[in-house]
Amino acid sequence: MGINPVEPSPTESAQPAARLESGADPTAVPPPDLGMPTSPYSEPVGASEAGETAAAEWHALPPESDAPGAPTAVPGGSKELLKLALPLIVSQSFMTVQVFVDTVLLSWHDPLEMAASFPAVMWYWLFFGLLQVTASYTSTFVAQYTGAKRPHRVGAAVWQGIHFAIVAGILFLVVAPAAPLLIAFTGHPPEIQPLEATYLKCLAFAALPMLVMGAVNGFFSGRGQTWTVLGIEAFGTAVNIALALVLIFGRLGFPELGIEGAGWATVAGSWAAALFALALMLRKKYRAEFGTLSGWKPERELFRRLMVYGGPAGMQVFLDVLVFHCFTILVGNLGFAALGATTLTIRLNMIAFLPMMGMGQAICILVGQRLGGNRPDLAEKSTYTGLKWAFGYMCLIALAYVTIPSILVEPFRPDKPEEQEKFATIVALVPTLLLCVAVFSVADAINVSFAFALRGAGDTKYVTKLTFALAWPLMVIPTAITVFAGGSVYWCWVFATLHILGMSACFWFRFRSGKWKSMRVIESGVEEEKSFTAEGTEGAEKGK
């Protein structure tokens, strides 16, 4: 799974001998050494001593090479970023494969099920996105603790996310009985609503394991151990796809469940990935160094910080999904073809967009680690490096949208002749919609790079306020007016494009202001030292 044991710093083994040579008392208990960060992406701050320099050089070496003369990554450069981002990009690609396969399988089984799956997913993510981003914000805490060289706080931070995930996942089950009412609110055609409700009911049972997995993945990604995240995602995706093939079409003795089978396959894959992630985090070496078991107790102040910073980050996703959910509901009132074309276009965009989320996560981790180590200059450099790669990737994707739209939609074409006529009405609209997606895809590269950089610093409230302030006047309200006036679906997508362009400009200005450079989500070392001192004094008084 690509999990490498944590290597000791070269200076640690030399410390006992150094104390003997200096004449220090060998029996004296040394002050606690919080150690260098386990991630090769953290930078020592304010230190010029030879020991710290040597430790930094040691951790900069690639895991597969122990040679002192091996080339090291330039801090803030492409090599460092891609080393961290590549597993996350591939991990998001597994999610892309899962979305793609589910969409293709449902389109083969029944195009109505394909059209119904996306509105159900939008309802699911409307509530789940808020919770998932909040739980997975543990990665920012882990990154900043790692950059600050305080690994003993990592386990406790992750467990606060797990506690939140368990409570939120149980409460999320209320969505299952409420699914028919939520779906009826959309006003979609009667033949689609039961399919949407069925899929949403199934997805409600996937929330708990997905939230736990998000919190636990923060332990690995925040420390730069992104290959482990890739392994967890790959395992869950494999289980999901295998069961979807069986349950949708009724193979190997199972009944033919259609869209319901796709939903239960998602639930099973999510539980498999969550349990696998927990088993990896609770291994002995992590329990000893990071307190992944001893840190299970709730900490009021740390949990409060997770809510203060992770909550707005989750709210931003909630508002973003709410906007596109309203957009989908409104467009659905223009007819089956408009809804199907919108569903297919957004699915195609998700397939291309999700891998770029891996780049955004890498930027977020590096910004968190650099700020934890008081190096905002390197955090800024890493952000612009990530922007260059994201922009180049999305330019290629935009070119594909413009030049080969017919090839992109071909895998979704159903085999049944009676279904192909309905599918043809959908496909006729997609090329024009992809022109709009091509434009805002390039702007999305800016959105992802700067939004994740601000998230890594803890500047989450601004991102939330901006999402709320721009979406309604630029996208939702103009779309509603267009739909009620009997306008074209093309105009609806023009407004969606204007919304994305406006977001990219505002994120760029916020990042350029530099206010994020002084932000931190973790408590200061002075506060922690005072806490330890107070606890020690209290213990001494009780001893008397």
Side-chain angles (χ1 to χ4, degrees), residues 29 38 236 327 353 390 403 452:
V29 178
T38 57
F327 179 78
F353 179 77
T403 57
F452 273 90

Side-chain angles (χ1 to χ4, degrees), residues 33 82 131 170 192 372 411 455:
D33 178 15
L82 294 177
L131 306 176
I170 293 174
I192 296 181
R455 184 184 297 181

Side-chain angles (χ1 to χ4, degrees), residues 11 17 19 34 85 126 140 145-146 155-156 164 226 235 247 266 271 281 306 315 399 409 434 440 490 510 524:
T11 60
R19 287 196 293 269
L34 301 182
L126 176 62
T140 298
Y145 278 130
T146 299
F164 172 81
T226 51
F235 180 67
L247 297 178
T266 300
W271 272 109
M281 188 188 76
L306 179 63
M315 182 59 67
L399 182 63
V409 301
L434 285 178
F440 74 60
Y490 299 140
R510 179 66 173 187
S524 68

Side-chain angles (χ1 to χ4, degrees), residues 66 71 74 118 156 184 208 255 312 348 388 398 410 417 456 510 514:
D66 294 325
V74 177
F118 184 73
L208 176 56
L348 285 171
K388 294 176 183 177
E410 190 61 32
R510 179 66 173 187

Side-chain angles (χ1 to χ4, degrees), residues 79-383:
K79 182 177 180 180
E80 178 193 59
L81 177 69
L82 294 177
K83 186 176 181 180
L84 181 64
L86 181 59
L88 295 174
I89 292 172
V90 178
S91 173
Q92 292 294 330
S93 297
F94 278 116
M95 295 181 64
T96 300
V97 170
Q98 180 175 316
V99 170
F100 178 79
V101 171
D102 285 350
T103 304
V104 169
L105 293 179
L106 289 175
S107 68
W108 289 351
H109 189 261
D110 186 347
L112 281 178
E113 291 181 338
M114 182 203 71
S117 65
F118 184 73
V121 169
M122 291 297 291
W123 270 115
Y124 175 73
W125 272 97
L126 176 62
F127 305 110
F128 179 76
L130 167 63
L131 306 176
Q132 195 266 347
V133 174
T134 303
S136 62
Y137 201 74
T138 54
S139 63
T140 298
F141 279 79
V142 172
Q144 291 198 14
Y145 278 130
T146 299
K149 297 179 284 186
R150 293 154 65 187
H152 60 288
R153 295 293 293 155
V154 166
V158 175
W159 272 104
Q160 306 315 303
I162 295 176
H163 295 323
F164 172 81
I166 293 173
V167 175
I170 293 174
L171 293 177
F172 196 90
L173 292 176
V174 74
V175 172
L181 294 176
L182 294 174
I183 295 301
F185 177 76
T186 63
H188 287 171
E191 65 271 20
I192 296 181
Q193 288 191 26
L195 299 174
E196 294 175 340
T198 298
Y199 198 44
L200 181 56
K201 286 180 182 179
C202 295
L203 292 179
F205 291 89
L208 176 56
M210 283 186 176
L211 291 172
V212 171
M213 182 177 64
V216 176
N217 277 351
F219 168 73
F220 297 106
S221 63
R223 294 167 38 251
Q225 204 171 351
T226 51
W227 284 107
T228 304
V229 178
L230 171 59
I232 294 169
E233 297 285 357
F235 180 67
T237 299
V239 173
N240 188 334
I241 292 177
L243 288 177
L245 286 168
V246 172
L247 297 178
I248 290 176
F249 298 99
R251 296 169 179 169
L252 300 179
F254 287 89
E256 181 179 345
L257 299 178
I259 195 171
E260 183 180 2
W264 289 121
T266 300
V267 175
S270 301
W271 272 109
L275 295 175
F276 185 39
L278 275 172
L280 292 178
M281 188 188 76
L282 294 176
R283 290 192 300 172
K284 183 177 180 181
K285 65 177 182 178
Y286 297 137
R287 296 200 304 266
E289 184 170 3
F290 302 103
T292 56
L293 184 58
S294 61
W296 70 270
K297 297 180 181 179
E299 292 188 24
R300 180 179 299 179
E301 175 59 23
L302 187 56
F303 185 84
R304 185 191 70 82
R305 285 178 173 270
L306 179 63
M307 296 299 102
V308 167
Y309 294 103
M315 182 59 67
Q316 183 266 326
V317 174
F318 170 80
L319 292 174
D320 199 29
V321 175
L322 175 62
V323 166
F324 275 93
H325 187 47
C326 292
F327 179 78
T328 304
I329 292 174
L330 290 169
V331 170
N333 289 286
L334 293 176
F336 168 74
L339 176 61
T342 296
T343 298
L344 187 54
T345 300
I346 295 179
R347 285 297 180 102
L348 285 171
N349 185 49
M350 287 177 61
I351 291 168
F353 179 77
L354 281 176
M356 193 174 64
M357 295 294 287
M359 180 62 70
Q361 291 171 5
I363 293 172
C364 181
I365 293 166
L366 284 176
V367 168
Q369 290 185 353
R370 297 306 191 189
L371 292 182
N374 294 321
R375 291 300 302 271
D377 56 322
L378 292 179
E380 184 174 20
K381 183 179 178 182
S382 295
T383 302

